[in-house]
């Protein structure tokens, strides 16, 4: 017998409501309900292993074939006091049987490992959501620490939710009593018990996690065995307890992806792979000069593992040394990269200006975070755009590009390398914490799909003097790109002067001539203005009068919001910018084709300021700077209001 029920999952990306089935298994077995999507949030103390738990659930979900999007959320403090609100760490995963774009607006399921995790996240839950709480942590002292005067598990405040009280710690310790572990050591595996329970609840594969645990704790086989035992105990608990009468199935997203080989990938990992691919396609060694900084450090960690691909990584003593070494590597003929976040960009600015003057290829990767100064180091923001555009002394223009999704970081890295190598210029790549730490499925490209980035180094003289002498002019330019030749130091006959003082056109000699300086400034600007970038594409199926224009990581929330608006009968167009300097050549035409232009940004209106100044378009800003990405429903409401004005 089959009864029809509606999915409890939120329609986060604007898809149609989906009818799912609740199927009674034979012989009194538990019901299995089919859902089209689910949003789960794991939350606990920063020492509870929530990021690892979420990552493992994500990996198994990816291997199962669902589309997915994740939102890790870290405490800003390195080690906040245990059990406090500032110390709560969470991991949100949205997975579905169809194409999705965001980690979801509100969780359908919250796993709260302690009172702080419950209090910090309860406000995000819709009524009817499921809450799994670790009752062992709801002691009087722990609850008082976060302001609970009575137990929320008993005072009726959670009556609007489906509450599952589970003594996770006690059950984990009991499951591991055969191991020679102290109670404290056994308690550390409670996140694996919770992962096992959720894996049963949503029919996730188990083999990958067990293999992962064996590998992770290969040098500590007892710890590996204990974690696997806790994981299996969580699965068995779900199977046998009467508190969980229903499990759920979310079918693979069979039609969401083009054919190919896929893997789950985070933005920082995709960016690292993109840099390696760029170096191989350019047939150049890759050099990274970097200083560790949140949230960019993972790129340094990843690239350091790939010496077999000709990658050299240098962890410098500070930001200035990191970019100085990278610029030296560029002078020496490497594909040079420096990675950082906003505070590091401030320190690197003088050397970026030097790279503009020397006209050498250099990738400056800025993984933006909340500011100013130290600000919110573990939270996301898009507030470095104007810094990337203008944050140097003098007229020092640089190209700026921004990826739109975690997987798109791979392609953005290739594009940044193309521009840097072809035009001999530093290039800013603006990712952010949301993309860096978030993940999604990525189709692994075939080698023949990658662009050819090979460059020709200067080999000999390129200019003939009036007396017939052939010489090398380091600033004699390609007439199409205005790029100067790239001469490897030590090449006989190509010796030339470098430094920050203004160069004479052509010869590269030091020049204080006003007319020459004016010419060089305008030439460097013309080189950037003339970079070939593709036209911006506009999604406008209904002849809308309002355009929503975005850049970077707002792509997912904006697209999800646009789907919602159109589903409700609203007409709205969408365009998204990858190239922010120079802008796409058709952008002026696109903007002037609409009565209204709305620009959502995770800053106070930086792209809108540029658009208004350059195109004299009355762009309307919609801004958020709370350290979190936009929610789709929030944006949809704002866009509906813009249409109705």
């Amino acid at each position: 017998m089959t009864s029809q029920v509606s999915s409890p999952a939120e329609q986060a990306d604007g898809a149609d409501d989906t009818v799912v089935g609740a199927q009674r298994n034979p012989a009194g077995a538990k019901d299995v309900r089919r859902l089209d999507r689910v949003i789960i949030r794991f939350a606990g103390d920063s020492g509870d292993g929530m990021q690892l738990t979420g990552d493992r659930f994500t990996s198994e979900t990816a291997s199962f074939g669902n589309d997915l999007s994740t939102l890790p959320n870290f405490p800003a403090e390195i080690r906040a006091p245990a059990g406090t609100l500032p110390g709560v760490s969470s991991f949100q995963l949205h997975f579905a049987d169809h194409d999705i774009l965001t980690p979801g607006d509100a969780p359908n399921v919250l796993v709260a490992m302690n009172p702080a995790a419950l209090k910090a996240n309860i406000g995000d839950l819709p009524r009817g959501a499921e809450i799994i709480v670790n009752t062992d942590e709801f002691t009087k002292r722990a609850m008082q620490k976060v302001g609970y005067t009575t137990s929320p598990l008993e005072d009726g405040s959670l009556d609007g939710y489906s509450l599952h009280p589970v003594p996770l710690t006690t059950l984990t310790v009991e499951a591991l009593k055969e191991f020679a572990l102290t109670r404290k050591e056994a308690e550390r595996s409670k996140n694996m018990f919770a992962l096992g329970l959720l894996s049963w609840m949503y029919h996730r594969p188990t083999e990958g996690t067990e293999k992962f645990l064996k590998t992770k704790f290969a040098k500590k086989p007892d710890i590996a065995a204990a974690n696997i035992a806790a994981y299996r105990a969580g699965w068995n608990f779900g199977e046998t307890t009467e508190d969980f009468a229903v499990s759920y199935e979310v079918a693979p997203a069979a039609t969401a992806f083009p054919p190919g080989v896929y893997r789950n990938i985070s933005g920082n990992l995709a960016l690292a792979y993109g840099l390696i691919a760029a170096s191989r396609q350019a047939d150049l060694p890759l050099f990274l000069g970097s200083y560790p900084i949140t949230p960019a450090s993972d790129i340094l960690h990843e690239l350091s593992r790939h010496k077999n691909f000709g990658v050299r990584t240098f962890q410098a003593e500070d930001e200035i040394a990191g970019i100085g070494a990278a610029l030296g590597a560029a002078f020496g003929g490497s594909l040079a990269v420096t990675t950082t976040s906003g505070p590091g960009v401030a320190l690197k600015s003088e050397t970026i200006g030097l790279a503009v003057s020397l006209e050498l290829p250099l990738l400056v990767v800025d993984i933006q975070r909340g500011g100013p100064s130290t600000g919110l180091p573990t939270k996301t923001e898009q507030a470095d755009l104007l810094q990337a555009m203008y944050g140097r002394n003098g007229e020092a223009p640089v190209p700026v590009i921004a990826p739109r999704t975690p997987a798109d970081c791979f392609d953005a890295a290739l594009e940044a390398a193309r521009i840097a190598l072809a035009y001999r210029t530093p290039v800013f790549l603006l990712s952010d914490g949301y993309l860096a730490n978030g993940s999604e499925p990525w189709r692994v490209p075939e080698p023949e799909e990658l662009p050819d980035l090979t460059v020709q180094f200067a080999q000999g003289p390129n200019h003939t003097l009036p007396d017939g002498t052939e010489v090398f002019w380091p600033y004699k330019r390609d007439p199409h790109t205005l790029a100067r030749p790239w001469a490897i130091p030590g090449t006989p006959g190509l010796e030339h002067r470098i430094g920050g003082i203004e160069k004479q056109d052509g010869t590269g000699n030091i020049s204080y001539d006003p007319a020459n300086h004016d010419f060089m400034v305008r030439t460097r600007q013309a080189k950037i203005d003339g970079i070939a970038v593709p036209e911006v594409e506009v999604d406008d199926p209904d002849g809308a009068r309002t355009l929503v224009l975005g850049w970077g990581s707002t792509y997912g929330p904006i697209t999800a919001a646009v789907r919602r608006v159109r589903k409700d009968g609203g007409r709205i167009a969408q365009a998204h910018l990858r190239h922010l300097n120079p802008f796409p050549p058709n952008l002026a035409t696109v903007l002037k084709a609409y009565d209204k232009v709305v620009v959502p940004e995770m800053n106070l209106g930086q792209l809108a300021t540029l658009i208004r100044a350059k195109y004299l378009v009355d762009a309307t800003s919609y801004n958020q700077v709370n350290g979190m990405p936009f929610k789709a429903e929030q944006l949809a409401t704002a866009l509906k209001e813009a249409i109705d004005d």
Side-chain angles (χ1 to χ4, degrees):
M1 177 179 176
T2 301
S3 60
Q4 295 298 315
V5 298
S6 295
S7 166
E10 175 207 16
Q11 301 300 310
D13 285 350
D16 294 335
D17 291 341
T18 301
V19 176
V20 296
Q23 192 168 358
R24 173 68 68 180
N25 290 329
K30 296 184 179 183
D31 288 347
V32 178
R33 294 183 183 173
R34 295 189 301 275
L35 306 178
D36 71 322
R37 68 176 74 209
V38 175
I39 303 167
I40 298 175
R41 184 181 296 176
F42 298 92
D45 193 71
S46 58
D48 284 339
M50 293 297 93
Q51 302 305 321
L52 175 63
T53 305
D55 182 68
R56 289 313 314 159
F57 196 94
T58 299
S59 295
E60 297 295 4
T61 296
S63 69
F64 188 72
N66 296 118
D67 195 8
L68 61 90
S69 180
T70 69
L71 178 62
N73 191 7
F74 308 94
E77 298 183 36
I78 293 175
R79 189 65 176 93
T84 63
L85 294 176
V88 174
S89 175
S90 68
F91 188 104
Q92 183 164 309
L93 166 67
H94 181 191
F95 62 101
D97 64 3
H98 58 276
D99 172 44
I100 58 173
L101 297 157
T102 75
D105 286 1
N108 310 116
V109 181
L110 171 66
V111 180
M113 303 297 283
N114 59 21
L118 177 64
K119 187 161 190 176
N121 292 280
I122 190 66
D124 293 337
L125 300 186
R127 288 293 175 174
E130 296 194 69
I131 304 175
I132 300 171
V133 295
N134 180 15
T135 56
D136 289 326
E137 294 297 321
F138 279 73
T139 64
K140 183 176 181 180
R141 183 172 181 273
M143 290 187 289
Q144 288 177 342
K145 190 180 293 188
V146 295
Y148 282 127
T149 57
T150 61
S151 172
L153 308 184
E154 301 171 355
D155 63 9
S157 61
L158 301 179
D159 286 350
Y161 306 95
S162 178
L163 180 65
H164 301 280
V166 180
L168 287 173
T169 305
T170 299
L171 291 171
T172 302
V173 172
E174 178 66 20
L176 302 184
K177 62 183 181 181
E178 65 183 84
F179 295 89
L181 301 175
T182 66
R183 179 178 177 85
K184 187 174 182 180
E185 290 172 333
E187 288 178 358
R188 290 175 182 165
S189 297
K190 63 181 180 290
N191 64 324
M192 288 296 105
F193 189 101
L195 177 60
L197 172 58
L198 268 293
S199 297
W200 169 84
M201 195 171 174
Y202 290 97
H203 295 249
R204 299 296 92 184
T206 61
E207 295 81 4
T209 293
E210 294 194 8
K211 182 179 179 181
F212 167 83
L213 291 170
K214 290 177 182 178
T215 302
K216 181 177 178 61
F217 298 106
K219 296 182 179 180
K220 299 179 179 179
D222 291 344
I223 299 298
N227 276 281
I228 292 172
Y231 178 61
R232 292 175 177 173
W235 178 284
N236 293 333
F237 177 78
E239 182 72 30
T240 57
T241 183
E242 295 183 1
D243 191 34
F244 293 89
V246 177
S247 63
Y248 304 94
E249 286 184 348
V250 181
T255 61
F257 308 116
V261 177
Y262 286 81
R263 59 156 294 166
N264 182 50
I265 201 164
S266 68
N268 274 352
L269 183 58
L271 207 156
Y273 286 176
L275 294 173
I276 295 172
S279 75
R280 303 296 286 184
Q281 293 303 106
D283 196 23
L284 297 174
L286 177 64
F287 180 90
L288 173 67
S290 183
Y291 179 75
I293 184 172
T294 300
S297 299
D298 285 342
I299 302 172
L300 170 62
H301 300 160
E302 182 62 32
L303 288 180
S304 68
R305 300 186 177 104
H306 297 287
K307 298 180 179 65
N308 56 311
F309 286 115
V311 179
R312 295 181 181 179
T313 54
F314 169 56
Q315 180 175 319
E317 66 268 28
D318 55 41
E319 297 280 5
I320 299 172
I323 190 172
L327 185 57
F331 179 62
S334 292
L335 176 59
V337 185
T338 189
T339 52
T340 189
S341 191
V345 173
L347 294 168
K348 296 177 188 289
S349 62
E350 183 179 6
T351 307
I352 297 171
L354 176 60
V356 171
S357 175
L358 297 182
E359 300 189 47
L360 287 171
L362 174 66
L363 303 187
V364 181
V365 178
D366 177 6
I367 313 297
Q368 300 165 96
R369 70 189 203 188
S373 188
T374 305
L376 303 174
T378 62
K379 309 301 180 182
T380 195
E381 208 163 272
Q382 284 183 300
D384 295 352
L385 176 56
L386 294 183
Q387 182 185 33
M389 288 285 291
Y390 303 118
R392 293 162 296 284
N393 64 295
E395 295 287 346
V398 296
V400 181
I401 70 170
R404 59 176 60 182
T405 69
D408 188 47
C409 289
F410 178 87
D411 295 316
L414 285 163
E415 175 66 355
R418 177 191 73 85
I419 293 173
L421 294 172
Y423 294 89
R424 311 287 197 267
T425 177
V427 177
F428 260 97
L429 195 160
L430 294 183
S431 180
D432 60 42
Y434 172 37
L435 296 184
N437 297 316
S439 60
E440 66 176 353
W442 171 59
R443 188 181 72 85
V444 180
E446 297 296 332
E448 57 269 17
E449 297 175 334
L450 301 179
D452 181 3
L453 302 179
T454 54
V455 296
Q456 291 294 325
F457 293 111
Q459 300 296 321
N462 61 357
H463 184 76
T464 303
L465 297 176
D467 64 1
T469 304
E470 292 187 339
V471 296
F472 174 66
W473 275 15
Y475 280 83
K476 185 169 185 176
R477 301 179 183 279
D478 182 296
H480 302 291
T481 64
L482 297 183
R484 78 176 187 91
W486 193 1
I488 300 299
T491 306
L494 304 189
E495 298 84 359
H496 60 283
R497 186 188 303 272
I498 63 170
I501 298 177
E502 185 62 281
K503 314 296 186 297
Q504 184 183 53
D505 178 42
T507 69
N509 295 329
I510 290 175
S511 174
Y512 294 98
D513 178 63
N516 178 77
H517 178 59
D518 182 275
F519 178 82
M520 293 294 281
V521 167
R522 294 180 186 276
T523 300
R524 287 188 289 262
Q525 183 65 58
K527 181 174 70 170
I528 303 305
D529 292 342
I531 291 174
V533 302
E535 293 188 342
V536 63
E537 297 181 359
V538 182
D539 176 19
D540 184 4
D542 302 314
R545 303 313 307 157
T546 300
L547 171 72
V548 55
L549 179 69
W551 70 278
S553 66
T554 57
Y555 174 77
I558 289 175
T559 306
V562 165
R563 288 181 181 179
R564 292 188 179 202
V565 172
R566 291 175 180 169
K567 176 187 172 186
D568 293 339
R571 294 191 300 171
I572 191 164
Q574 179 187 0
H576 206 80
L577 297 176
R578 163 172 283 178
H579 296 88
L580 298 156
N581 193 33
F583 284 127
N586 66 328
L587 184 56
T589 303
V590 168
L591 295 172
K592 291 176 180 177
Y594 294 91
D595 296 335
K596 290 182 183 178
V597 177
V598 182
V599 185
E601 299 180 76
M602 292 189 293
N603 57 48
L604 294 183
Q606 296 187 16
L607 175 61
T609 296
L610 295 174
I611 293 296
R612 292 168 69 98
K614 185 173 180 64
Y615 299 107
L616 302 181
V617 170
D618 189 17
T620 301
S621 287
Y622 184 76
N623 308 115
Q624 173 177 296
V625 282
N626 62 6
M628 297 294 288
F630 284 111
K631 293 183 177 180
E633 184 59 34
Q634 165 195 3
L635 272 180
T637 301
L639 296 179
K640 290 174 185 176
E641 292 174 354
I643 294 173
D644 294 338
D645 279 349

